[in-house]
Amino acid sequence: MRYLITGAAGFLGAPLANRLIQAGHRVVGLDDLSTGDPERLSSEVHLVRGDVNDRPKLWSLLQDVDCVYHLAARVIVPESVLYPSEYNQVNVGGTVSLMEAMRDVGVRRVVFVSSGTIYGNQRTQPLRESCRPNPRSPYAVSKLSAEYYIRSIGDLWGIETVCLRVFNAYGPGQRMPPTNAPVIPYCIRQALDHGTIVVHGEGKQTRDYVYIDDVVDAMAAASSMPDINRLIINVGSGKETSVNDIIKRVVEITHAKPEIVMNKTHDSGPARMCADLGLAKRKLGFSPKVSLAEGLKRTIESDPRFRKK
Ligand code: NAD
């Protein structure tokens, strides 16, 4: 098959591109390299530098493509609070541009990588896809809007659509923005640099941390499975872990002694988040294989700062 991956040089896009190449497919990547790194990609991926809102470029790249993976996005939640219009332009506008171009060229399927953040605070856990979304940040709103556009344009123009709501992905090579999210790379960096770990709230808030290889398994399955048109499917570990537990595990593996500061008055986001994986199991044959203990070990051991110790 021939694939286009937007955001191909990113943390999730690159291992997906490399996996598809390994499986014998042809892969074209589109990435503006704002946060992506082409060094992550196999030399067999044809990477084109460009913006996901550049329609002429999209039209030319989509020729002969069987399936699109749409990952290009701005992804830092606190940044989205400061610059919501930018998030809207890239995450929503870019999605609409892509869908229009797919309609014009006649591409069969798109797999959109959405986010578990669209659930926000919910009374019951684990989170089923049928929950009413409660997005809290402009980032989460942009991902939910993109889901709606994908499904609506897909339905109107006969494009098969699948939305994967990925929870907190982590693993080697995850880029660390100058904020204290995402939690795992932040804690690892602070521990290895003998820094201070600042916790928002009391650290009791839970998230569903899913290892990168498991996310790639789910994404890879979503382009070939039958009978999944229009589905929205959670991708997580199915387990919830508190921030305090992440810190404890990182400290154990790194043998570091970071100072831990609790910023109890700071908004710590939803109290709990845990993905229900029933649909992913049934429709994608997905079941996560890498435990948190193993995933953290692999992530920390691959960090050049840990290897130097
Ligand atoms: P990332 O920042 O590593 O990847 C995003 C990629 O998109 C980067 O390579 C970046 O250069 C590219 N990009 C940004 N703006 C672009 C534009 N205008 N045109 C073309 N390319 C552009 O982040 P990631 O963690 O790999 O996220 C990939 C996707 O997965 C995103 O859509 C994100 O919302 C989604 N997601 C990620 C997670 C996670 O935990 N990492 C969880 C849920 C959903």
Side-chain angles (χ1 to χ4, degrees):
M1 295 237 296
R2 192 177 154 96
Y3 291 93
L4 172 69
I5 303 179
T6 71
F11 171 59
L12 297 186
L16 170 67
N18 296 340
R19 171 81 68 90
L20 295 173
I21 290 285
Q22 264 174 11
H25 301 292
R26 291 171 66 196
V27 179
V28 179
L30 173 68
D31 200 300
D32 71 352
L33 301 183
S34 52
T35 58
D37 178 0
E39 296 288 314
R40 289 170 166 149
L41 288 167
S42 142
S43 57
E44 288 169 64
V45 176
H46 175 56
L47 181 68
V48 175
R49 187 171 187 168
D51 192 295
V52 72
N53 269 303
D54 181 340
R55 286 183 221 183
K57 192 164 264 168
L58 285 169
W59 283 321
S60 79
L61 294 180
L62 284 169
Q63 303 298 324
D64 302 325
V65 161
D66 302 297
C67 177
V68 172
Y69 281 101
H70 180 37
L71 286 85
R74 303 287 297 264
V75 302
I76 303 166
V77 172
E79 190 183 63
S80 78
V81 175
L82 296 174
Y83 308 109
S85 66
E86 262 179 47
Y87 273 68
N88 185 63
Q89 193 186 334
V90 176
N91 297 5
V92 184
T95 301
V96 178
S97 300
L98 175 68
M99 291 303 287
E100 273 188 22
M102 284 184 61
R103 173 201 66 188
D104 294 346
V105 175
V107 180
R108 185 177 56 84
R109 183 179 282 195
V110 59
V111 178
F112 172 57
V113 178
S114 182
S115 166
T117 57
I118 65 110
Y119 291 111
N121 254 324
Q122 300 281 343
R123 284 219 186 112
T124 47
Q125 302 282 333
L127 298 160
R128 293 225 175 98
E129 292 84 349
S130 53
C131 288
R132 188 170 173 195
N134 183 18
R136 294 167 48 99
S137 65
Y139 167 74
V141 171
S142 75
K143 299 302 285 188
L144 182 61
S145 311
E147 280 187 7
Y148 285 136
Y149 270 115
I150 295 248
R151 279 174 68 165
S152 138
I153 299 172
D155 287 353
L156 292 166
W157 290 94
I159 303 166
E160 289 177 27
T161 63
V162 185
C163 296
L164 301 179
R165 287 184 181 158
V166 176
F167 282 64
N168 292 59
Y170 73 98
Q174 188 167 17
R175 183 178 156 268
M176 186 54 225
T179 59
N180 66 353
V183 166
I184 288 181
Y186 169 72
C187 291
I188 294 174
R189 181 189 70 189
Q190 296 304 96
L192 292 177
D193 289 350
H194 305 289
T196 301
I197 297 180
V198 179
V199 179
H200 288 172
E202 294 183 6
K204 291 181 187 157
Q205 65 275 29
T206 64
R207 297 290 178 267
D208 181 320
Y209 297 97
V210 55
Y211 191 67
I212 180 90
D213 291 6
D214 287 327
V215 180
V216 173
D217 283 351
M219 291 192 292
S223 64
S224 55
M225 285 293 180
D227 305 324
I228 55 173
N229 183 28
R230 301 194 82 251
L231 287 186
I232 291 174
I233 306 176
N234 286 339
V235 175
S237 66
K239 300 205 163 71
E240 51 185 324
T241 307
S242 70
V243 171
N244 289 336
D245 191 13
I246 293 290
I247 295 172
K248 189 167 143 268
R249 287 166 181 266
V250 168
V251 165
E252 270 167 21
I253 302 172
T254 57
H255 303 293
K257 294 188 179 65
E259 187 191 355
I260 295 158
V261 174
M262 296 287 178
N263 191 346
K264 290 191 180 166
T265 55
H266 198 291
D267 178 17
S268 55
R272 295 178 63 196
M273 291 198 82
C274 182
D276 182 292
L277 297 181
L279 195 61
K281 278 185 190 141
R282 286 198 305 281
K283 294 295 184 178
L284 300 177
F286 172 71
S287 81
K289 298 187 186 71
V290 182
S291 67
L292 183 61
E294 177 60 24
L296 279 177
K297 189 167 163 283
R298 289 188 202 171
T299 306
I300 292 169
E301 286 178 354
S302 74
D303 192 303
R305 289 165 297 197
F306 181 76
R307 295 219 296 266
K308 257 196 242 152
K309 281 186 145 199

